[in-house]
Amino acid sequence: MEKAFFDQDNNDNSLDRVDGRLKVTGAATYAAEYQLPNVTHAVLVTSTIAKGRITSLDSKLAEQAPGVLAVISHVNSPGVPAYGSSPAMPQRATLGTPLRVFHDNLIYFSGQPVAVIVADTWQRAEFAASLVKVQYEKEPHQTNLEANLSRAALPANVQRDKNSRYHDYDRGNPEELNTAAVKIEATYKIPTEHHNPLEPHAIIAHWEAPDKLTLYDKTQVIKGTQGNLARAFKLPLENVKVQAKFIGGAFGSGIRVWPHVMAATLAAKKVQRPVKLVLPRELMFTSVGSRPETIQHITMGATKDGKLTTITHEAVAHTSTYEEHTERTILATRMLYDCPHVSTRYRLVNLDVNTPTWMRGPGEVTGVYALESAMDELAYALQMDPLELRRRNHADSDPEKNLPWSSKSLKECYAKGAAHFGWHKRNPEPRSMRQGQMLVGYGMASSTFGVHRNYAKSRAVFQADGKVIVQSATSDIGPGTGTAMTRIAADTLSLSPAFIRFDLGESTLPDAPGQTGSTTVSSVGSAVKVACEALKQKLLQLAVNTPNSTLYNTNPADLSVEQGRIFKTGNPATGVTYTEILKQNNLPQLEVTEESKPGAEWQKYSMSAFGAHFVEVHVNPTTGEVRVKRVVTCAGVGKVINHKTARSQSIGGVVGGIGMALTEESVMDHRFGRYVTGDFANYHVPVHVDIPPIDVFFIDEHDPHVNPVGAKGLGEIAIVGVAAAVANAVFQATGKRIRDLPITPDKLI
Amino acid sequence: MARNKKTDGVDESTEPGSFAPNKARRTFLKKSSALVALALTPPPVLKAAEMEDQVTAAFEKVKITLHVNGTRHKLAVEPRVTLLDLLREDLKLTGTKKGCDYGQCGACTVHVDGKRVLSCLSLAVMQNGRKITTIEGLADGEKLHPLQEAFIKHDGLQCGYCTPGQIMSAVACIREGQAGSEPEIREYMSGNICRCGAYPNIVNAIMEVNQSGQKV
Ligand code: FES
Ligand code: FES
């Protein structure tokens, strides 16, 4: 079947962001902005050593400071009931033991909360925090991944789970490498990176009664946070309410229940008033996870005509001493290319730092950076066009799972991206292309991210005024969840989007999974679709069962709907509107709640999204400054629900990838075990002047297998591969292969 | 790469690399207010801790008048309160955002007497008598400002947290005559970080409004 392209210049009938007006007028309410009577302000005191124990914590001066209501630490914490009964707190995500806040005097990382001050104003809490005197007994700490590689080990949680995909993996005979005609071998490093959403993490914790807790929290996992707090404080689930209607970005930092959430909740318990806690930017580096620093070693072997024969991929990442964070780093290597002999190894080293977590494109973004850099190196070793090398090794089915793809448009992405970019104009010879003084480089990389889907529920209510309210306890960290859901509901119900209101961001709504791993449209979107379909069927049934209806006794199969009007197919003049049907039946409203979950299709198909990025860089040969001049990105992500917001999501991914490639690095001073790049002046994210025009294309894929909506997810794949494309372009421009990100000027001169 | 550098560059912390900022300044504030209170207040009052709090607070506050979005506010503020915190916490104008508190992200951009200012780097007491415009004061009633319209049309936002600051900067950028070309807009908007990466759409929105010749 001929596949249609979404052309960015084609003005389609995309919806504007449904909450755009609220956001451009300042009326959108983020976590710290709820106005609660009697609210108090909390400030954290954090450890200044990376390992050891607190020997004394003197809070007398702080307690006497103006406006201070309480100083809470391990000395006087009201305690978290679940901490006491078991050494490991039950939770849904990472395996291990989440930090137990104010539980004992042990220090696991620098920046660990050791006390929280509550005062009537934030300034007073800040001041009082400076008066707390903490003394420690230090122990030697380890924060340097490279210096601790000898301790790299298969994660214990993998050892316990024989079905884990992180076990050592061998396909064919990786020893074949020795006989390969052409070989390459290289080590790639990415530093620790921090999500740094622009809105710092913030929470207002409010005990409305001794057994009733409400949290206004910056979280992308609303139901998960509700469950987690209910378990921690041994409360019935319905006694915990979580609200997160607007979230100022998260990129993964809002997936887990972090220590500051517990600190605020404990503080609110102590002072019996609502407590607001906003992390200062510097604590965003030690409080809400990071992308783990990762060192990867890759070898590749190929025949002379560029057919891959072997790939080996070893990845070692850091984790904390109290938890094991694992991610999909080595998985793409097993499926992105058709290669008979493949082996992967995944190892962790625990360090005296806070636990890393998922950050946009988790795992894949790290692994594909290394894999796609290595492919470029192999192309040069073969003296072959890097795009041609990828085409020759295209995987027509999943070589790991031995399953057909549910759909795949990688070849179309290569073709569309290359044509639009003008890849044929590339002279592969490094340092051969110039514009004025500048060295010019073209680079490309493939991209992939697995399709995932979770259980989700949605309620759809048709109201007498013709409006439909659709609900699910999902969130919107920025992609435009409400907009996509409005679109799905409108299309399913054959109604104008103007009649749809989508509610999200509250734990009282029907169950939704966390907004993680590009699963929101595939999971929640499917539930919305199923619920709206059920609602439509109910309306059709009513129409044919209502005696005074013009459609009475018509076979529902013979009916069509347009703009909320049901009529006999082929005869639009007949018929009734949804609203009339309700009126004829004296119904104030019509409501359905439906659920949706993955099924047997997951055994029959391998499901992934694929794409390709093309990047042009200019490098100043004197200063080593790299400027990205243009980017073309193309992806096959199943059905694109709303092109306008989808395009923005892709652009955002590319921007994140450019940051990863060129500027982002959290630098640790190992003497103190502490990040020294704790603000935007030192942790460099791209700004306006760093970002060129970005052209986005989607291949319109019809994939009936992934889920009822047919969408594969977009948030993650948008960033996967971008850093490799930039690094490959830098190589072609300069002849220098920089294998440790970010590619800062000092590495090029 | 943020173009706005932290202006308060003095690190007064004692621990190497410690993040606790400005300890000395705070101690000074505390001491000075306590001393003033001690000199002027009869001893029995000082005994009541609660009263001491109130007295200290009263002596620490300075009376100012601000015109915010056309409304006159007579306020008593502590000298250490930034314009940003005053807007968000006292006036409940939470449209102005705190992204860093160090002048590095632009989320807190407001207009003071028509010029863009980072409200986190400005103490409220410094603005006595001035006219402040925040994102809440930009639209004309229900009618959005042309840049607000353009941001929606070009989807110049995702999470929306940088958006008020981007829009306030964009208005100023056009008024300053620094929105003539895409490179110029990029340069003069670089103090406003968008971590979601809406940059190209923001540039398009500003270009369109500037070229339309509408009054901003
Ligand atoms: S809050 Fe970031 S510049 Fe003011
Ligand atoms: S829209 Fe999220 S930071 Fe700009």
Side-chain angles (χ1 to χ4, degrees):
Chain A
M1 190 183 73
E2 182 67 11
K3 286 176 180 166
F5 293 122
F6 159 65
D7 201 310
Q8 56 164 9
D9 302 322
N10 253 352
N11 239 338
D12 69 313
N13 59 346
S14 273
L15 284 184
D16 286 342
R17 217 165 266 275
V18 294
D19 49 6
R21 193 183 170 97
L22 289 175
K23 287 177 174 174
V24 301
T25 54
T29 307
Y30 298 80
E33 299 170 352
Y34 284 87
Q35 304 300 337
L36 270 71
N38 265 329
V39 73
T40 62
H41 300 260
V43 168
L44 291 172
V45 178
T46 58
S47 72
T48 53
I49 65 161
K51 189 179 183 186
R53 58 190 192 89
I54 302 168
T55 50
S56 83
L57 191 145
D58 178 0
S59 58
K60 255 189 244 85
L61 268 182
E63 279 157 28
Q64 287 162 10
V68 171
L69 300 164
V71 179
I72 299 132
S73 67
H74 71 283
V75 178
N76 64 345
S77 168
V80 175
Y83 288 175
S85 55
S86 108
M89 193 165 92
Q91 51 147 10
R92 290 154 77 124
T94 311
L95 292 165
T97 329
L99 187 78
R100 287 176 291 174
V101 181
F102 309 147
H103 186 65
D104 51 33
N105 65 349
L106 299 180
I107 301 297
Y108 299 93
F109 62 92
S110 178
Q112 176 181 327
V114 296
V116 62
I117 317 291
V118 187
D120 58 352
T121 71
W122 174 71
Q123 287 81 5
R124 289 171 149 198
E126 266 280 280
F127 171 55
S130 70
L131 302 175
V132 177
K133 298 270 172 290
V134 189
Q135 277 172 346
Y136 303 94
E137 190 177 290
K138 266 193 213 174
E139 285 171 41
H141 60 257
Q142 299 296 334
T143 52
N144 188 333
L145 178 61
E146 284 201 79
N148 284 277
L149 283 177
S150 60
R151 292 200 288 116
L154 191 67
N157 71 57
V158 174
Q159 294 179 31
R160 283 194 297 268
D161 174 9
K162 72 177 191 324
N163 294 322
S164 167
R165 295 186 70 196
Y166 302 109
H167 281 291
D168 293 359
Y169 171 86
D170 294 299
R171 167 165 97 222
N173 176 16
E175 296 298 315
E176 291 286 320
L177 182 69
N178 302 326
T179 58
V182 181
K183 296 180 247 194
I184 61 118
E185 173 165 11
T187 300
Y188 303 92
K189 296 177 194 168
I190 66 155
T192 302
E193 299 164 12
H194 281 89
H195 312 67
N196 271 314
L198 200 64
E199 179 202 24
H201 274 256
I203 178 167
I204 304 175
H206 183 200
W207 288 88
E208 303 196 32
D211 63 346
K212 276 209 170 91
L213 175 64
T214 299
L215 300 180
Y216 305 83
D217 185 24
K218 179 186 172 95
T219 173
Q220 40 191 126
V221 187
I222 290 166
K223 284 287 194 182
T225 302
Q226 178 195 30
N228 198 315
L229 270 292
R231 287 192 299 275
F233 286 91
K234 308 219 157 132
L235 299 170
L237 191 63
E238 60 279 10
N239 284 19
V240 179
K241 276 192 208 147
V242 178
Q243 248 197 53
K245 291 198 174 173
F246 289 92
I247 298 166
F251 316 106
S253 63
I255 295 178
R256 301 197 54 206
V257 173
W258 296 110
H260 72 276
V261 171
M262 295 310 263
T265 306
L266 286 168
K269 192 156 190 107
K270 189 92 172 173
V271 300
Q272 298 189 17
R273 280 168 68 178
V275 168
K276 184 194 292 195
L277 195 162
V278 181
L279 291 182
R281 181 54 60 183
E282 57 270 24
L283 288 191
M284 290 290 289
F285 289 78
T286 47
S287 309
V288 291
S290 64
R291 196 192 290 292
E293 180 179 359
T294 309
I295 300 172
Q296 302 176 74
H297 188 74
I298 290 199
T299 67
M300 273 181 184
T303 62
K304 278 212 183 65
D305 56 359
K307 185 72 203 66
L308 278 169
T309 54
T310 59
I311 310 176
T312 70
H313 185 172
E314 295 170 23
V316 185
H318 88 262
T319 188
S320 69
T321 56
Y322 53 97
E323 287 175 306
E324 280 179 334
H325 168 74
T326 51
E327 56 183 36
R328 304 164 47 88
T329 316
I330 34 78
L331 297 189
T333 300
R334 304 180 193 162
M335 49 66 84
L336 189 50
Y337 297 110
D338 184 22
C339 177
H341 309 290
V342 174
S343 85
T344 65
R345 300 286 182 270
Y346 183 69
R347 299 287 183 270
L348 292 180
V349 174
N350 58 18
L351 298 174
D352 299 306
V353 295
N354 59 314
T355 312
T357 194
W358 302 276
M359 178 166 159
R360 197 170 194 175
E364 263 95 343
V365 87
T366 304
V368 169
Y369 155 65
L371 183 67
E372 287 297 283
S373 297
M375 281 297 275
D376 203 66
E377 301 210 34
L378 182 65
Y380 274 92
L382 286 159
Q383 297 189 315
M384 179 178 285
D385 180 86
L387 181 56
E388 180 55 28
L389 174 65
R390 287 169 172 90
R391 283 197 178 111
R392 286 193 191 178
N393 291 286
H394 182 269
D396 297 331
S397 59
D398 184 335
E400 181 190 8
K401 295 182 189 160
N402 282 318
L403 288 174
W405 304 110
S406 64
S407 64
K408 181 174 182 178
S409 313
L410 183 55
K411 284 180 181 163
E412 289 88 340
C413 289
Y414 290 150
K416 180 75 181 171
H420 191 82
F421 183 82
W423 182 255
H424 63 280
K425 289 187 232 144
R426 176 180 186 267
N427 179 344
E429 187 60 37
R431 300 182 82 89
S432 64
M433 293 169 29
R434 283 192 185 247
Q435 197 177 91
Q437 281 297 300
M438 296 297 191
L439 297 166
V440 174
Y442 287 5
M444 64 84 54
S446 309
S447 168
T448 185
F449 197 81
V451 175
H452 306 277
R453 182 179 170 197
N454 299 309
Y455 169 86
K457 241 173 158 175
S458 175
R459 179 185 303 131
V461 187
F462 193 91
Q463 295 184 321
D465 61 0
K467 292 237 161 76
V468 186
I469 297 170
V470 185
Q471 301 177 315
S472 189
T474 180
S475 63
D476 183 3
I477 55 175
T481 310
T483 312
M485 298 306 155
T486 299
R487 180 103 231 190
I488 292 168
D491 289 354
T492 311
L493 283 162
S494 310
L495 260 183
S496 155
F499 291 100
I500 311 285
R501 186 187 89 201
F502 184 73
D503 292 342
L504 48 62
E506 276 184 288
S507 59
T508 46
L509 300 173
D511 203 359
Q515 187 167 38
T516 63
S518 296
T519 56
T520 303
V521 168
S522 73
S523 313
V524 181
S526 295
V528 165
K529 182 164 186 193
V530 173
C532 289
E533 242 156 30
L535 184 62
K536 188 175 175 179
Q537 284 313 317
K538 243 183 163 171
L539 285 159
L540 290 175
Q541 273 307 332
L542 266 181
V544 300
N545 290 340
T546 307
N548 54 350
S549 158
T550 49
L551 302 175
Y552 185 54
N553 271 339
T554 316
N555 182 351
D558 298 335
L559 295 176
S560 301
V561 187
E562 263 172 36
Q563 295 295 330
R565 206 162 168 285
I566 310 177
F567 55 86
K568 290 186 189 145
T569 306
N571 187 1
T574 63
V576 287
T577 65
Y578 289 159
T579 328
E580 284 163 356
I581 298 169
L582 245 66
K583 214 189 253 160
Q584 286 165 0
N585 288 278
N586 282 327
L587 288 170
Q589 63 173 46
L590 205 57
E591 177 179 326
V592 298
T593 302
E594 291 288 329
E595 58 177 39
S596 167
K597 54 178 183 246
E601 67 279 5
W602 291 78
Q603 269 71 59
K604 293 189 219 140
Y605 296 96
S606 178
M607 304 182 190
S608 278
F610 296 90
H613 310 286
F614 296 82
V615 173
E616 176 178 339
V617 299
H618 290 189
V619 183
N620 184 320
T622 316
T623 65
E625 183 185 13
V626 179
R627 309 301 305 174
V628 177
K629 281 295 171 186
R630 60 194 180 97
V631 179
V632 174
T633 179
C634 186
V637 291
K639 184 178 160 74
V640 175
I641 305 300
N642 194 56
H643 281 126
K644 185 179 243 179
T645 41
R647 179 176 167 272
S648 297
Q649 222 179 333
S650 281
I651 290 174
V654 170
V655 172
I658 291 174
M660 175 181 179
L662 298 179
T663 59
E664 291 186 40
E665 176 174 23
S666 295
V667 179
M668 171 77 73
D669 184 336
H670 295 298
R671 292 171 304 165
F672 307 104
R674 185 177 306 168
Y675 293 112
V676 293
T677 42
D679 60 28
F680 284 132
N682 290 293
Y683 186 87
H684 298 156
V685 303
V687 300
H688 273 283
V689 84
D690 301 317
I691 300 304
I694 296 166
D695 290 344
V696 179
F697 298 91
F698 297 114
I699 310 295
D700 219 352
E701 289 176 333
H702 175 70
D703 190 331
H705 308 299
V706 279
N707 51 57
V709 177
K712 292 178 172 176
L714 174 56
E716 324 291 336
I717 191 176
I719 189 176
V720 176
V722 176
V726 174
N728 295 342
V730 169
F731 173 73
Q732 197 236 331
T734 64
K736 287 197 177 137
R737 184 69 71 178
I738 308 302
R739 300 187 182 90
D740 55 329
L741 298 183
I743 306 172
T744 44
D746 54 297
K747 294 174 186 169
L748 288 171
I749 52 176
Chain B
M1 287 205 176
R3 287 298 195 265
N4 297 311
K5 290 287 177 296
K6 186 174 175 177
T7 55
D8 179 4
V10 191
D11 184 4
E12 292 160 310
S13 53
T14 44
E15 280 276 328
S18 159
F19 287 125
N22 301 336
K23 267 182 202 160
R25 176 172 66 95
R26 288 208 207 90
T27 313
F28 169 74
L29 273 177
K30 162 83 170 158
K31 269 191 204 144
S32 61
S33 59
L35 283 177
V36 176
L38 208 62
L40 300 178
T41 318
V45 176
L46 286 179
K47 284 197 189 117
E50 195 138 309
M51 283 297 278
E52 183 191 328
D53 263 21
Q54 287 170 16
V55 172
T56 314
F59 280 108
E60 279 188 341
K61 286 187 174 170
V62 176
K63 291 204 166 95
I64 57 167
T65 304
L66 291 186
H67 304 266
V68 184
N69 301 331
T71 307
R72 201 170 90 139
H73 295 270
K74 296 185 98 175
L75 303 155
V77 298
E78 286 187 45
R80 62 183 165 181
V81 172
T82 62
L83 177 58
L84 174 60
D85 288 325
L86 181 89
L87 290 169
R88 284 176 64 83
E89 300 297 337
D90 297 289
L91 301 183
K92 319 287 182 213
L93 290 171
T94 53
T96 306
K97 306 301 183 195
K98 185 186 280 194
C100 68
D101 220 13
Y102 301 134
Q104 298 166 344
C105 77
C108 64
T109 308
V110 298
H111 294 174
V112 176
D113 290 343
K115 296 215 163 57
R116 47 174 156 171
V117 160
L118 296 175
S119 60
C120 72
L121 286 189
S122 175
L123 296 172
V125 290
M126 293 157 63
Q127 308 305 336
N128 191 17
R130 301 244 165 93
K131 281 200 181 75
I132 318 285
T133 308
T134 71
I135 191 73
E136 289 95 340
L138 202 60
D140 180 6
E142 282 300 291
K143 194 175 154 13
L144 295 183
H145 183 279
L147 270 159
Q148 291 174 317
E149 293 279 8
F151 266 63
I152 295 176
K153 177 178 163 195
H154 290 275
D155 207 30
L157 62 146
Q158 292 187 36
C159 77
Y161 200 77
C162 73
T163 312
Q166 300 278 359
I167 293 176
M168 296 312 283
S169 259
V171 171
C173 192
I174 293 178
R175 285 186 191 158
E176 292 158 9
Q178 281 159 341
S181 66
E182 289 185 17
E184 196 178 22
I185 292 171
R186 283 189 208 114
E187 190 66 37
Y188 285 93
M189 287 296 294
S190 278
N192 288 82
I193 289 174
C194 177
R195 186 55 163 153
C196 298
Y199 297 126
N201 296 351
I202 295 172
V203 173
N204 290 342
I206 300 174
M207 277 298 277
E208 183 179 271
V209 173
N210 192 48
Q211 283 173 352
S212 75
Q214 295 176 78
K215 194 173 146 17
V216 295

